[in-house]
Amino acid sequence: DRLCPSALMDLTPVQDWLSSIQHAEACINAVFSIIGPDQYATALQTMQHVKTHPEAFEQPIPKEGKRNQNTQKDKKSEGAEKRNAYSWQQKLNAVKLWPSVFSGFAVISNRITPSHRDDKGHHPWYDILFSGSRHTHAQLETPDIGASFLYKLGCLVGICGKTLRHAVLDYEGTDRFCIAHYMRYPVVQRIKPRAKDAGWVGMDPFLAMCHGEFQEQNRFKYTKASDGKVIAISAQGKRL
């Protein structure tokens, strides 16, 4: 597949929006660097290369129609080629505004989110979900692990969204939006073809920054139960 910027990147409202979220995305990048440092390092190197090497992108080749000797049609074709060239340059300029180490965003506004897995991310990596606007209450449901998390205004959630189903089945308040951040791993493979996969995210990088007693209380291991299911066991021997 060709590596191309989004078709929307040449739109002025999109570029204005990217400019307006620079600070917020810097904070989200910082959180990702803490909870997934190896994945963050790979993503950062990839996106820095993308932003500084426009030759990494391949311009889509427009479909050529049948051309004849009609001068008017030739002029229309020339005009279309100029517009395409201008649009392509605008897209490349807009790539420099991209504020995230993730390669893509999905924006969800004022609706519930049925249980689903995200097909655009990478199984071992976190997707980062940001909950914003003016809602007063929401819950993020993860049916695969039987857990429900408070998902209030300003909350960030790191979840392996391509692996675990998740949903927001209701919320309270006037407005709610979510910006889901994900990394298209083929982008990493295109830019860093010989890079070692950073592997699965885990709790160890976070726990390493915490007090020793907290580490021991919150460290857990996986094992198989009698029914064959994989379960987590806490340091105190409790099933999670």
Side-chain angles (χ1 to χ4, degrees):
D1 293 340
R2 294 177 179 274
L3 184 62
C4 299
S6 167
L8 302 177
M9 291 289 281
D10 63 337
L11 299 179
T12 299
V14 172
Q15 296 176 17
D16 291 344
W17 179 68
L18 291 175
S19 297
S20 72
I21 62 173
Q22 297 285 325
H23 178 72
E25 289 300 321
C27 295
I28 293 172
N29 289 341
V31 170
F32 185 39
S33 73
I34 294 171
I35 63 175
D38 293 340
Q39 293 74 20
Y40 169 82
T42 299
L44 178 64
Q45 292 171 13
T46 300
M47 296 309 294
Q48 283 181 335
H49 184 95
V50 166
K51 292 172 69 172
T52 56
H53 293 76
E55 67 274 9
F57 293 105
E58 298 179 57
Q59 185 173 4
I61 301 174
K63 294 181 180 179
E64 294 186 5
K66 293 182 179 179
R67 303 192 67 174
N68 55 31
Q69 300 302 315
N70 187 304
T71 304
Q72 186 176 3
K73 287 188 177 181
D74 286 345
K75 288 183 178 179
K76 287 183 178 180
S77 298
E78 290 176 5
E81 289 175 1
K82 290 181 180 179
R83 288 192 298 273
N84 288 336
Y86 177 77
S87 175
W88 178 252
Q89 189 57 51
Q90 288 292 97
K91 288 185 176 73
L92 295 182
N93 292 340
V95 166
K96 299 175 184 178
L97 294 173
W98 190 257
S100 177
V101 297
F102 290 92
S103 66
F105 296 152
V107 181
I108 302 167
S109 177
N110 288 339
R111 67 175 178 86
I112 63 172
T113 309
S115 182
H116 69 288
R117 294 184 177 93
D118 298 322
D119 62 349
K120 294 182 178 180
H122 186 44
H123 281 293
W125 285 33
Y126 286 131
D127 297 339
I128 302 292
L129 311 180
F130 171 68
S131 180
S133 197
R134 292 175 291 184
H135 65 286
T136 56
H137 180 79
Q139 293 288 132
L140 180 70
E141 310 291 342
T142 52
D144 291 328
I145 57 175
S148 178
F149 302 94
L150 184 62
Y151 197 40
K152 60 184 181 180
L153 179 66
C155 187
L156 288 179
V157 176
I159 182 172
C160 295
K162 195 169 183 177
T163 303
L164 296 175
R165 289 179 298 159
H166 49 287
V168 177
L169 302 178
D170 195 14
Y171 65 93
E172 300 173 6
T174 53
D175 298 301
R176 183 188 83 89
F177 70 80
C178 166
I179 304 178
H181 304 65
Y182 58 86
M183 172 56 78
R184 293 296 298 269
Y185 204 68
V187 176
V188 177
Q189 293 173 314
R190 174 68 66 87
I191 299 302
K192 297 170 63 65
R194 288 179 289 278
K196 182 181 178 181
D197 193 325
W200 286 86
V201 292
M203 288 182 60
D204 287 345
F206 170 72
L207 290 176
M209 299 188 305
C210 301
H211 187 274
E213 183 178 352
F214 180 88
Q215 290 185 31
E216 293 306 316
Q217 290 176 348
N218 290 275
R219 209 176 285 280
F220 59 90
K221 63 180 180 179
Y222 293 103
T223 187
K224 278 192 176 182
S226 57
D227 58 4
K229 292 183 178 179
V230 177
I231 59 173
I233 303 294
S234 72
Q236 292 77 32
K238 295 181 179 180
R239 177 171 173 169
L240 303 180

